[in-house]
Amino acid sequence: MSDALKHECGIALIRLRRPLSYYKERHGSAYYGLQKLFLLMEKQHNRGQDGAGVATVKLDMPPGSRYIDRFRSASKQPILSVIEHIQGRIAEALEGGGVNDATTDGSLKQEPFLGELLLGHLRYGTFGKNSLEHCHPHLRTSNWMSRNLVLAGNFNMTNVDELFGLLVDIGQHPKERSDTVTVLEKIGHFLDEENQRLAHIYRQLGYNEQQITHMVAEKMDVRRILTNSAQDFDGGYALAGLIGHGDAFVLRDPSGIRPAFWYSDDEVVVVASERPAIQTAFGVKTDQVRELTPGHALIIRRSGEVSEEMVRQPAEKRACSFERIYFSRGSDRDVYRERIALGRSLCPSILEAVDHDLEGTVFSFIPNTAEVACYGVLKGMEDHLDHVKEQRILELGPTPDPAKLRRILAMRPRLEKVAIKDAKLRTFITQDNARDELVAHVYDVTYGTVRPGQDSLVVIDDSIVRGTTLKQSILRILDRLEPRRIVVVSSAPQIRYPDCYGIDMAKLGDLVAFQAAIALLQETKQENIIDDVYDRCVGEMDKPMAQVVNHVKDIYRPFTAAQISRKITELLTPPEVRADVRILYQTIEGLRAACPDHTGDWYFTGDYPTPGGNRVVDRAFINYMEGRNVRAY
């Protein structure tokens, strides 16, 4: 993705099912859980580089003992910062003589962060400031163990105002209007209610307060808490929580928008946002790692028992397709296959764009996340060349000339590393007035890879969102190689609609496909459509959220995808570029064929999986029309 986007976030949860002393004897270290948690976080660093945090809960600690530890960092290397802090805390405790590295569980648990429940989080700040306060895990504290809540998640809610209002209605006074605070306090409210419900029952049965504390911990109904909490959630979410007495959970949204995978054996229960992270950390096979069912929670009892339980009725599964195109690590078996398929499906349009002249075409990719899709293109082109070779060999007759035969057999797609990212400039959070100067230097080119004036240069990108880097940098530097034609190919379809479930695409006016459609409406004297859509979007704002319709689809309706692609090419091609530039996109049909199990394609189709999505897109259009450069949620 030449325009870097941000995605929220990554989670890692571990429940150790054996005493800490077991891991010291079996695996050679009582820090086995922490080591595995750090590895899970490192293997998901692609999901968050703005912040990181770890929290642990120790079971069966006596009163007066610390049983919840937490540390968060918003430094430039947050994962490393967290790891170094925790290691430093443990070293200080051992050196201070207050604890010792003995084999008994009681001795081991005196060390900071050495607990049976471990929760890690990686943050990409798609919304809000990149400060420590915005880093997960978040903590809701109480003197009652079973009322303490640690929460971290990969989520974004579209109905924060409604959730905030519900908290106010029940008498709370939330400290801020954010989805993190509202979700934490909503789950915390029903956690309190469950504590009160059980305490009331056992008081009536004659138990004393200390006995009640233990009974509440044993009998707490986590599913009940989550069912009551999540009934008003509208968004994409994978929420991980630890409760102070030892229960834990991971809750996934009913449409399966945000990913969550889990694995268990007799030693551990593990949850992560990405499957290969679990495979690498624990050395298990792909089929041993399960996907958490949408609308369900993985509930881990303080006893170590684990179950998947339905919290909300699952809806049609609309797992995020951008996970497959860009965000998830390509080391996942299925992600790799899908990106290969995305590349293969682009071959017919590429062949047409280069006039079927593969001998005069050089293939490359920008950025590295598009590499696997580029391999898919090459595999498709190899298949095409096999047919070409077969025909040309047959044309040589029964006694072919050896030199001609060798030339035919030597035909293959030409792959070169044309563009190199020269600096990790975070252009997507730079002030607009400085962005152009920065993006012009993000990439450099490898000279001598293209025959000047002869070759077409085909560059695979995973997606084209705003087109800023393409226009201000990439096309200009590629033109230095003097190709006769530059073909930029997106393995994703045209991104036409904003996201509201965790990806940094909140403003319609930023999307180059939307800019192209507006320009076409103006050029074809159809501005009345723009005004009509605005009026209808305004009318939707007074409707109940479940009745809101996405009217922005009508902006694109008069034009074919090819017409919009041509206008995008015109908008993004700098006037000084000498090569013939063409920008091609994946088709919706190609996307669905390549990623059949991830149908969350609202970015491209406008078909949002929750009612809140329709309200967000209409509000985004109103903001655009009224000149408000703000988010729509």
Side-chain angles (χ1 to χ4, degrees):
M1 189 175 297
S2 52
D3 285 318
L5 287 182
K6 307 181 82 182
H7 181 267
E8 189 176 345
C9 297
I11 57 173
L13 184 149
I14 296 176
R15 168 60 157 94
L16 300 177
R17 304 177 89 173
R18 300 291 189 93
L20 295 178
S21 55
Y22 166 87
Y23 300 95
K24 185 166 186 177
E25 295 169 8
R26 175 73 173 79
H27 297 286
S29 174
Y31 309 114
Y32 174 83
L34 278 173
Q35 292 166 351
K36 294 297 185 183
L37 185 74
F38 295 157
L39 184 54
L40 285 174
M41 293 173 70
E42 286 284 3
K43 290 299 178 181
Q44 297 183 102
H45 72 269
N46 53 298
R47 305 190 70 85
Q49 296 165 27
D50 290 330
V54 164
T56 63
V57 172
K58 303 175 182 182
L59 303 184
D60 303 318
M61 295 295 285
S65 301
R66 187 182 184 91
Y67 59 95
I68 298 178
D69 287 301
R70 179 184 65 152
F71 182 75
R72 300 171 295 170
S73 173
S75 70
K76 291 183 178 180
Q77 294 182 296
I79 300 176
L80 180 61
S81 174
V82 169
I83 293 172
E84 289 180 342
H85 173 84
I86 292 173
Q87 290 174 335
R89 284 281 308 279
I90 292 171
E92 286 176 9
L94 292 171
E95 290 172 3
V99 300
N100 60 78
D101 193 17
T103 57
T104 64
D105 273 51
S107 299
L108 292 169
K109 284 187 183 181
Q110 294 178 53
E111 299 182 31
F113 291 93
L114 209 57
E116 293 90 343
L117 277 170
L118 306 98
L119 178 59
H121 186 265
L122 306 157
R123 180 177 191 268
Y124 255 152
T126 63
F127 185 60
K129 298 177 181 178
N130 294 329
S131 66
L132 190 64
E133 180 64 22
H134 291 84
C135 292
H136 296 201
H138 283 261
L139 180 59
R140 192 176 190 264
T141 60
S142 171
N143 270 351
W144 281 265
M145 295 180 79
S146 55
R147 291 176 183 250
N148 283 280
L149 176 63
V150 183
L151 189 71
N154 170 20
F155 68 99
N156 205 71
M157 300 298 175
T158 70
N159 62 333
V160 173
D161 290 341
E162 286 87 348
L163 295 176
F164 183 88
L166 290 171
L167 294 176
V168 174
D169 289 344
I170 60 176
Q172 288 196 18
H173 192 90
K175 64 179 182 180
E176 64 179 71
R177 192 185 294 261
S178 71
D179 54 4
T180 300
V181 169
T182 51
V183 168
L184 177 70
E185 293 302 332
K186 200 160 191 289
I187 296 175
H189 168 74
F190 287 106
L191 175 63
D192 289 343
E193 282 204 344
E194 177 67 4
N195 273 267
Q196 293 164 0
R197 182 183 72 86
L198 291 172
H200 178 70
I201 291 172
Y202 293 116
R203 283 193 189 100
Q204 288 186 322
L205 294 174
Y207 290 92
N208 64 41
E209 295 302 316
Q210 288 192 5
Q211 291 172 322
I212 289 171
T213 295
H214 293 293
M215 296 298 292
V216 168
E218 290 295 329
K219 301 298 183 180
M220 180 172 288
D221 188 342
V222 177
R223 178 182 177 273
R224 178 191 183 98
I225 295 167
L226 297 176
T227 299
N228 289 332
S229 302
Q231 61 183 333
D232 302 306
F233 290 170
D234 187 288
Y237 49 89
L239 298 169
L242 312 179
I243 306 176
H245 67 277
D247 285 350
F249 63 86
V250 177
L251 172 63
R252 193 177 183 201
D253 66 84
S255 300
I257 296 170
R258 298 270 72 89
F261 297 88
W262 67 282
Y263 163 78
S264 68
D265 57 28
D266 61 348
E267 291 186 352
V268 294
V269 181
V270 187
V271 187
S273 295
E274 299 209 26
R275 180 169 59 183
I278 298 175
Q279 291 182 249
T280 300
F282 292 89
V284 296
K285 296 179 180 179
T286 298
D287 296 336
Q288 292 177 273
V289 182
R290 287 169 275 190
E291 183 178 1
L292 180 55
T293 306
H296 285 60
L298 186 73
I299 297 175
I300 309 166
R301 298 292 308 183
R302 69 187 303 274
S303 63
E305 297 175 6
V306 61
S307 61
E308 263 199 30
E309 300 185 29
M310 190 172 76
V311 171
R312 292 185 60 182
Q313 183 67 41
E316 177 189 358
K317 189 177 179 185
R318 300 293 306 281
C320 171
S321 58
F322 246 119
E323 289 282 347
R324 323 306 283 182
I325 296 166
Y326 175 65
F327 290 116
S328 292
R329 291 172 74 88
S331 57
D332 183 274
R333 179 192 66 186
D334 294 338
V335 171
Y336 185 85
R337 292 172 180 173
E338 289 163 11
R339 290 181 184 175
I340 291 289
L342 285 168
R344 277 185 177 275
S345 67
L346 295 166
C347 289
S349 59
I350 293 173
L351 285 167
E352 184 177 345
V354 299
D355 304 322
H356 288 76
D357 177 20
L358 288 187
E359 292 176 272
T361 299
V362 175
F363 293 91
S364 193
F365 55 88
I366 299 176
N368 289 339
T369 47
E371 183 177 8
V372 177
C374 184
Y375 291 159
V377 170
L378 293 178
K379 290 174 186 291
M381 292 303 175
E382 288 168 354
D383 293 343
H384 171 75
L385 277 178
D386 285 344
H387 293 297
V388 172
K389 290 177 183 180
E390 180 181 356
Q391 171 132 14
R392 292 189 182 182
I393 289 171
L394 290 173
E395 290 172 353
L396 292 177
T399 56
D401 180 284
K404 291 181 179 179
L405 184 59
R406 282 194 296 271
R407 280 197 299 271
I408 293 171
L409 293 175
M411 293 171 60
R412 59 181 56 87
R414 296 165 57 194
L415 174 67
E416 301 288 354
K417 182 70 172 176
V418 168
I420 301 167
K421 198 164 189 179
D422 197 34
K424 294 182 178 179
L425 298 175
R426 306 183 70 186
T427 58
F428 44 90
I429 60 169
T430 302
Q431 295 298 318
D432 290 342
N433 57 5
R435 179 176 293 162
D436 291 354
E437 176 63 22
L438 283 174
V439 299
H441 301 285
V442 170
Y443 291 94
D444 204 351
V445 289
T446 306
Y447 294 96
T449 53
V450 174
R451 294 177 299 180
Q454 298 182 55
D455 290 334
S456 293
L457 176 56
V458 175
V459 177
I460 313 302
D461 196 345
D462 41 43
S463 61
I464 301 167
V465 185
R466 305 178 184 98
T468 305
T469 309
L470 196 61
K471 181 174 183 176
Q472 300 296 340
S473 176
I474 292 174
L475 288 174
R476 286 188 171 109
I477 65 169
L478 294 180
D479 196 51
R480 296 178 202 160
L481 299 174
E482 300 181 53
R484 70 180 184 89
R485 180 175 297 160
I486 299 172
V487 182
V488 179
V489 190
S490 169
S491 68
Q494 296 166 1
I495 298 170
R496 300 181 171 192
Y497 304 94
D499 181 61
C500 52
Y501 304 118
I503 298 174
D504 186 22
M505 288 189 278
K507 302 171 187 176
L508 261 176
D510 288 346
L511 307 180
V512 70
F514 176 77
Q515 296 168 19
I518 292 293
L520 286 170
L521 287 172
Q522 293 168 340
E523 290 175 8
T524 56
K525 309 300 182 185
Q526 298 184 76
E527 294 97 332
N528 61 298
I529 292 176
I530 302 173
D531 296 331
D532 179 59
V533 168
Y534 171 71
D535 291 339
R536 284 185 283 138
C537 287
V538 171
E540 294 293 301
M541 294 300 100
D542 294 328
K543 292 182 179 179
M545 189 165 65
Q547 298 177 18
V548 176
V549 174
N550 177 3
H551 291 294
V552 181
K553 289 184 178 184
D554 290 339
I555 294 294
Y556 300 96
R557 211 178 299 279
F559 311 109
T560 66
Q563 287 175 301
I564 293 175
S565 290
R566 286 194 292 271
K567 177 53 67 174
I568 290 172
T569 301
E570 181 183 321
L571 293 176
L572 295 185
T573 303
E576 66 271 24
V577 168
R578 295 161 293 179
D580 172 30
V581 176
R582 301 184 186 183
I583 298 177
L584 308 178
Y585 285 87
Q586 180 70 259
T587 64
I588 298 296
E589 294 75 20
L591 171 68
R592 290 174 175 171
C595 309
D597 297 324
H598 288 72
T599 60
D601 56 11
W602 57 90
Y603 319 92
F604 321 113
T605 64
D607 297 330
Y608 289 88
T610 74
N614 291 330
R615 186 172 65 178
V616 166
V617 68
D618 285 349
R619 186 179 289 157
F621 188 77
I622 294 170
N623 290 342
Y624 167 78
M625 290 293 290
E626 295 179 356
R628 291 189 303 214
N629 188 29
V630 296
R631 293 173 176 270
Y633 60 91

